[in-house]
Amino acid sequence: YYHVMEAYASLGNGAVAMPANKNRAPILAQAVFDKLKDSTNLIPTVREHRLLIRAWSNSTCKEAAYKAMGLWMNMLRLFRAGDEEMEPRLEDGKMVLEAWSRAINKHSARRAQTVLNAMEKLVTHKKTDVRPDLDCYKYVLIAMSRSKVPDVGANVIDLFNTMEEDRIFPDTACFDAAIETFKNCSRRAKLEE
């Protein structure tokens, strides 16, 4: 099953990549994953979960970020239930956060913050040593800068404070995203007046 999923997922990458394939690739891989889940004697492993998260994260489908997040949250649920193999790695969270930073969705910023908060809680509760890094915060800030929600800017300072506490130093992209978020919030506030 894994190799079939891998073949489908690779349709959207490389020399044969075409826009239509990029959108179909995760859908085809998801169909195999679902068939595997519905099987009575086979259970999807962490390899299938990660492959499918990567496929959805690389996709341009409208629901790609939702699908990637759902798989990541399922891994997290299984890990919390005691399946040590399903421990989400930093790369898994980054892929989901990057998908939300590219998603065109009103709630992208909130969803990205949910993933980041879940990652932080795992570290806080000493369930894992996988801590969010600069890229994680950058993807959340980018999602916030693209948000159409007027009060999303309220969380920017909290993110920078958390980064400072964790000794993560923001780069130019973080500051650019923060400025864009404040600018968008200000513009929306003026329109509401």
Side-chain angles (χ1 to χ4, degrees):
Y1 282 100
Y2 176 79
H3 295 294
V4 173
M5 287 177 63
E6 188 175 40
Y8 281 140
S10 67
L11 282 176
N13 302 327
V16 295
M18 296 176 2
N21 285 345
K22 194 165 181 94
N23 286 337
R24 281 191 28 232
I27 295 168
L28 295 171
Q30 181 75 51
V32 175
F33 183 85
D34 292 342
K35 188 174 190 98
L36 184 60
K37 269 184 19 183
D38 294 340
S39 171
T40 56
N41 58 348
L42 297 171
I43 300 170
T45 67
V46 71
R47 274 184 8 157
E48 286 87 17
H49 277 82
R50 288 191 170 124
L51 175 67
L52 203 47
I53 288 172
R54 187 175 2 84
W56 280 117
S57 295
N58 291 331
S59 174
T60 57
C61 289
K62 185 176 182 176
E63 70 276 359
Y66 280 111
K67 298 285 190 175
M69 183 175 175
L71 286 158
W72 186 83
M73 294 297 255
N74 187 50
M75 283 179 66
L76 184 61
R77 183 184 56 77
L78 292 169
F79 175 66
R80 286 180 175 157
D83 188 348
E84 295 292 321
E85 180 186 59
M86 288 294 180
E87 179 179 4
R89 295 185 312 198
L90 179 61
E91 293 79 22
D92 303 330
K94 276 187 192 182
M95 286 187 286
V96 175
L97 290 170
E98 185 177 14
W100 280 119
S101 75
R102 290 189 321 264
I104 300 170
N105 181 291
K106 180 179 181 178
H107 303 290
S108 296
R110 187 179 60 173
R111 303 275 194 255
Q113 289 175 54
T114 299
V115 172
L116 182 66
N117 288 339
M119 292 172 76
E120 290 171 340
K121 281 183 185 174
L122 283 174
V123 174
T124 304
H125 292 98
K126 300 192 184 342
K127 300 273 185 199
T128 184
D129 292 331
V130 178
R131 3 182 112 254
D133 67 0
L134 175 63
D135 289 332
C136 295
Y137 288 96
K138 181 179 359 183
Y139 292 139
V140 172
L141 287 163
I142 291 170
M144 293 170 79
S145 74
R146 300 182 71 205
S147 178
K148 305 288 185 234
V149 178
D151 61 346
V152 74
N155 298 329
V156 170
I157 301 301
D158 293 337
L159 278 176
F160 277 98
N161 287 337
T162 302
M163 290 172 73
E164 185 178 352
E165 289 169 11
D166 292 342
R167 299 188 191 282
I168 297 172
F169 303 102
D171 63 4
T172 305
C174 292
F175 288 115
D176 289 345
I179 291 167
E180 187 69 23
T181 302
F182 289 135
K183 185 172 79 175
N184 291 340
C185 290
S186 173
R187 186 179 311 133
R188 285 187 198 92
K190 286 180 183 178
L191 289 175
E192 290 176 5
E193 288 177 1

